[in-house]
């Protein structure tokens, strides 16, 4: 499943031109890491990655530097790269940041108000989450859930907040997918999202912030508990 940054960039172009080789390498490698195709501890030489992606080593090297800056890989001289793990302690910190920033986004959005078109997009995401749960399709549910959170942050209009949230959410993606089928059916999560939309419709910033904050606190606590309970200490 594509993540926030990948969704933003997959069809984007730079200056009206096709994506550069470096950008394509970055997106492809990042997707493989986030979807656990390249799990924690995975190692590869630059040349091996270049052959895998069908390009030269230079754009691969540039992509690895970006991924290293994001804390996803470790660049090892003469040994290529290694995918870094995310520990339970990392997840606690990441969810603390996500909880604060996304709650702020919810408050901003509700206080400013949204157009009917944007409200409809949020309602559609919630509706798709309900439909997915009715089919017991957790992959589709996770995709709709991610879309809801992406839209909420996007509609805040705060680009710095969006950048920081996307970085944290990307880092949490592997853990979310690893625990997706271990958690109880997320009916309450859908109800939380619907309540946030209702608060936004009423332009009640305090309520939107409070509801979303409580939602993220519960989600983070459950994720950490599942990681510990099932011995998934590193991803």
């Amino acid at each position: 499943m594509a993540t926030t940054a990948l969704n933003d960039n997959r069809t984007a172009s730079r200056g009206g031109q096709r994506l550069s080789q470096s950008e394509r390498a970055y997106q492809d490698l990042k997707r493989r890491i986030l979807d656990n195709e390249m799990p924690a501890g995975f190692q590869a030489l630059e040349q091996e990655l270049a052959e895998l992606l069908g390009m030269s080593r230079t754009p691969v090297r540039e992509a690895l530097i970006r991924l290293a800056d994001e804390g996803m890989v470790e660049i090892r001289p003469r040994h290529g790269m290694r995918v870094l793990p995310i520990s339970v302690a990392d997840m606690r910190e990441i969810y603390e940041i996500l909880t604060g920033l996304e709650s702020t986004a919810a408050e901003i959005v509700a206080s400013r108000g949204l157009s009917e078109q944007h409200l409809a997009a949020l309602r559609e995401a919630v509706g798709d989450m309900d439909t997915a749960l009715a089919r017991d399709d957790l992959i589709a549910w996770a995709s709709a859930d991610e879309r809801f959170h992406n839209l909420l942050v996007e509609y805040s209009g705060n680009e710095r907040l969006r950048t920081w949230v996307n970085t944290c959410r990307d880092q949490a993606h592997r853990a979310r997918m690893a625990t997706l089928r271990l958690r109880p059916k997320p009916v309450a999560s859908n109800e939380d999202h619907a309540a946030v939309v209702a608060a936004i419709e009423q332009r009640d910033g305090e309520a939107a912030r409070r509801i979303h904050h409580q939602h993220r606190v519960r989600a983070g606590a459950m994720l950490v508990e599942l990681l510990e309970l099932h011995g998934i200490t590193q991803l």
Side-chain angles (χ1 to χ4, degrees):
M1 183 175 64
T3 60
T4 303
L6 297 181
N7 282 333
D8 289 342
N9 292 324
R10 188 177 300 279
T11 59
S13 61
R14 296 185 175 234
Q17 302 299 317
R18 296 179 61 186
L19 293 178
S20 68
Q21 290 283 84
S22 175
E23 183 68 21
R24 288 204 302 111
Y26 167 76
Q27 291 185 11
D28 197 329
L29 291 173
K30 187 170 187 175
R31 179 192 62 78
R32 292 170 188 265
I33 293 169
L34 294 178
D35 288 346
N36 289 313
E37 291 181 24
M38 293 180 175
F42 175 88
Q43 300 183 56
L45 298 173
E46 275 186 11
Q47 185 59 41
E48 293 172 332
L49 295 174
E51 292 173 0
L52 175 67
L53 302 182
M55 59 182 65
S56 68
R57 292 174 57 179
T58 298
V60 170
R61 185 179 306 117
E62 293 170 349
L64 290 177
I65 290 172
R66 289 177 65 183
L67 292 170
D69 288 341
E70 294 176 10
M72 291 191 180
V73 306
E74 172 189 34
I75 297 177
R76 311 174 75 188
R78 297 181 300 280
H79 296 284
M81 69 85 168
R82 179 176 72 92
V83 177
L84 293 174
I86 298 177
S87 68
V88 171
D90 291 333
M91 292 312 305
R92 284 197 184 96
E93 293 182 356
I94 287 169
Y95 263 82
E96 286 175 355
I97 296 170
L98 279 177
T99 297
L101 293 179
E102 286 195 357
S103 300
T104 297
E107 182 174 18
I108 292 172
V109 169
S111 298
R112 292 178 179 172
L114 287 179
S115 67
E116 183 54 38
Q117 179 181 1
H118 287 169
L119 280 169
L122 289 175
R123 293 191 203 104
E124 182 180 23
V126 175
D128 288 346
M129 292 168 65
D130 289 336
T131 300
L133 282 194
R135 298 197 312 261
D136 287 323
D137 187 343
L138 291 179
I139 297 298
W141 173 85
S143 178
D145 174 71
E146 184 171 308
R147 174 157 42 97
F148 178 91
H149 287 268
N150 291 347
L151 290 172
L152 188 65
V153 173
E154 177 185 339
Y155 292 160
S156 75
N158 188 317
E159 287 304 313
R160 288 181 176 82
L161 187 152
R162 183 181 180 186
T163 297
W164 294 334
V165 167
N166 287 348
T167 297
C168 289
R169 198 181 295 149
D170 285 348
Q171 292 173 346
H173 183 79
R174 284 181 286 169
R176 290 187 70 239
M177 297 310 293
T179 58
L180 185 60
R181 300 187 185 282
L182 301 175
R183 60 175 294 169
K185 195 171 183 177
V187 175
S189 180
N190 290 17
E191 294 170 350
D192 288 344
H193 289 74
V196 170
V197 174
I200 292 172
E201 289 177 318
Q202 296 166 13
R203 301 192 67 167
D204 189 338
E206 191 283 326
R209 183 202 60 77
R210 172 175 45 79
I211 295 167
H212 197 76
H213 187 275
Q214 292 171 348
H215 166 70
R216 271 307 197 185
V217 167
R218 288 193 294 269
M222 179 184 296
L223 181 65
V224 168
E225 180 181 355
L226 288 173
L227 293 175
E228 293 178 328
L229 180 63
H230 293 275
I232 310 174
T233 57
Q234 292 188 332
L235 295 164

mmCIF file of all heavy atoms in Angstrom, residues 6 27 41 52 100 117 159 161 201 204 210 217 233:
data_model
loop_
_atom_site.group_PDB
_atom_site.id
_atom_site.type_symbol
_atom_site.label_atom_id
_atom_site.label_comp_id
_atom_site.label_asym_id
_atom_site.label_seq_id
_atom_site.Cartn_x
_atom_site.Cartn_y
_atom_site.Cartn_z
ATOM 1 N N LEU A 6 4.554 8.769 -0.936
ATOM 2 C CA LEU A 6 4.512 8.152 -2.244
ATOM 3 C C LEU A 6 3.271 8.580 -3.008
ATOM 4 O O LEU A 6 3.317 8.825 -4.209
ATOM 5 C CB LEU A 6 4.539 6.626 -2.090
ATOM 6 C CG LEU A 6 5.804 6.077 -1.441
ATOM 7 C CD1 LEU A 6 5.733 4.563 -1.375
ATOM 8 C CD2 LEU A 6 7.035 6.497 -2.231
ATOM 9 N N GLN A 27 11.380 6.757 -4.773
ATOM 10 C CA GLN A 27 10.014 6.294 -4.573
ATOM 11 C C GLN A 27 9.937 4.773 -4.545
ATOM 12 O O GLN A 27 9.239 4.186 -3.706
ATOM 13 C CB GLN A 27 9.111 6.850 -5.676
ATOM 14 C CG GLN A 27 8.878 8.347 -5.593
ATOM 15 C CD GLN A 27 7.886 8.824 -6.639
ATOM 16 O OE1 GLN A 27 7.218 8.024 -7.295
ATOM 17 N NE2 GLN A 27 7.790 10.129 -6.796
ATOM 18 N N GLY A 41 16.903 -4.947 8.439
ATOM 19 C CA GLY A 41 18.078 -5.808 8.333
ATOM 20 C C GLY A 41 18.436 -6.159 6.908
ATOM 21 O O GLY A 41 19.529 -6.687 6.658
ATOM 22 N N LEU A 52 18.406 -4.034 -9.853
ATOM 23 C CA LEU A 52 17.010 -4.309 -9.517
ATOM 24 C C LEU A 52 16.081 -3.266 -10.120
ATOM 25 O O LEU A 52 15.001 -3.595 -10.639
ATOM 26 C CB LEU A 52 16.840 -4.337 -7.994
ATOM 27 C CG LEU A 52 15.417 -4.491 -7.462
ATOM 28 C CD1 LEU A 52 14.867 -5.870 -7.806
ATOM 29 C CD2 LEU A 52 15.376 -4.267 -5.952
ATOM 30 N N GLY A 100 0.068 14.826 18.694
ATOM 31 C CA GLY A 100 0.062 16.275 18.865
ATOM 32 C C GLY A 100 -0.167 17.021 17.570
ATOM 33 O O GLY A 100 -1.015 17.928 17.505
ATOM 34 N N GLN A 117 -16.971 20.465 -0.812
ATOM 35 C CA GLN A 117 -16.189 19.477 -1.566
ATOM 36 C C GLN A 117 -15.199 18.765 -0.656
ATOM 37 O O GLN A 117 -15.050 17.541 -0.715
ATOM 38 C CB GLN A 117 -15.444 20.170 -2.712
ATOM 39 C CG GLN A 117 -14.593 19.212 -3.541
ATOM 40 C CD GLN A 117 -13.840 19.933 -4.655
ATOM 41 O OE1 GLN A 117 -13.934 21.160 -4.792
ATOM 42 N NE2 GLN A 117 -13.097 19.191 -5.448
ATOM 43 N N GLU A 159 2.096 23.636 5.633
ATOM 44 C CA GLU A 159 3.013 22.746 4.920
ATOM 45 C C GLU A 159 4.088 22.161 5.835
ATOM 46 O O GLU A 159 4.511 21.021 5.649
ATOM 47 C CB GLU A 159 3.657 23.485 3.747
ATOM 48 C CG GLU A 159 2.709 23.714 2.583
ATOM 49 C CD GLU A 159 2.104 22.418 2.070
ATOM 50 O OE1 GLU A 159 2.851 21.437 1.861
ATOM 51 O OE2 GLU A 159 0.870 22.365 1.899
ATOM 52 N N LEU A 161 3.741 21.469 9.054
ATOM 53 C CA LEU A 161 3.056 20.439 9.815
ATOM 54 C C LEU A 161 2.871 19.193 8.950
ATOM 55 O O LEU A 161 3.102 18.061 9.408
ATOM 56 C CB LEU A 161 1.706 20.974 10.304
ATOM 57 C CG LEU A 161 0.902 20.103 11.270
ATOM 58 C CD1 LEU A 161 0.017 20.997 12.154
ATOM 59 C CD2 LEU A 161 0.015 19.104 10.531
ATOM 60 N N GLU A 201 -17.709 19.926 10.723
ATOM 61 C CA GLU A 201 -18.925 20.508 10.125
ATOM 62 C C GLU A 201 -19.508 21.600 11.027
ATOM 63 O O GLU A 201 -20.031 22.608 10.541
ATOM 64 C CB GLU A 201 -19.953 19.404 9.900
ATOM 65 C CG GLU A 201 -19.598 18.449 8.779
ATOM 66 C CD GLU A 201 -20.603 17.325 8.644
ATOM 67 O OE1 GLU A 201 -21.044 16.774 9.674
ATOM 68 O OE2 GLU A 201 -20.963 17.000 7.502
ATOM 69 N N ASP A 204 -16.263 23.321 15.313
ATOM 70 C CA ASP A 204 -15.901 23.236 16.727
ATOM 71 C C ASP A 204 -14.461 22.742 16.829
ATOM 72 O O ASP A 204 -14.200 21.543 16.878
ATOM 73 C CB ASP A 204 -16.852 22.287 17.457
ATOM 74 C CG ASP A 204 -16.670 22.326 18.975
ATOM 75 O OD1 ASP A 204 -15.590 22.730 19.431
ATOM 76 O OD2 ASP A 204 -17.612 21.933 19.685
ATOM 77 N N ARG A 210 -9.865 17.508 20.505
ATOM 78 C CA ARG A 210 -9.986 16.556 21.612
ATOM 79 C C ARG A 210 -10.301 15.149 21.109
ATOM 80 O O ARG A 210 -9.669 14.177 21.547
ATOM 81 C CB ARG A 210 -11.078 17.025 22.566
ATOM 82 C CG ARG A 210 -11.430 16.013 23.662
ATOM 83 C CD ARG A 210 -12.429 16.582 24.644
ATOM 84 N NE ARG A 210 -13.517 17.279 23.979
ATOM 85 C CZ ARG A 210 -14.569 16.660 23.413
ATOM 86 N NH1 ARG A 210 -14.644 15.334 23.437
ATOM 87 N NH2 ARG A 210 -15.533 17.363 22.845
ATOM 88 N N VAL A 217 -4.200 8.695 20.696
ATOM 89 C CA VAL A 217 -3.639 8.123 21.918
ATOM 90 C C VAL A 217 -4.004 6.638 22.012
ATOM 91 O O VAL A 217 -3.157 5.785 22.302
ATOM 92 C CB VAL A 217 -4.133 8.882 23.165
ATOM 93 C CG1 VAL A 217 -3.822 8.094 24.441
ATOM 94 C CG2 VAL A 217 -3.478 10.259 23.239
ATOM 95 N N THR A 233 9.535 -6.707 18.248
ATOM 96 C CA THR A 233 10.285 -5.624 18.873
ATOM 97 C C THR A 233 11.010 -4.755 17.878
ATOM 98 O O THR A 233 11.374 -3.618 18.165
ATOM 99 C CB THR A 233 11.317 -6.185 19.872
ATOM 100 O OG1 THR A 233 12.186 -7.112 19.178
ATOM 101 C CG2 THR A 233 10.618 -6.935 20.990
#
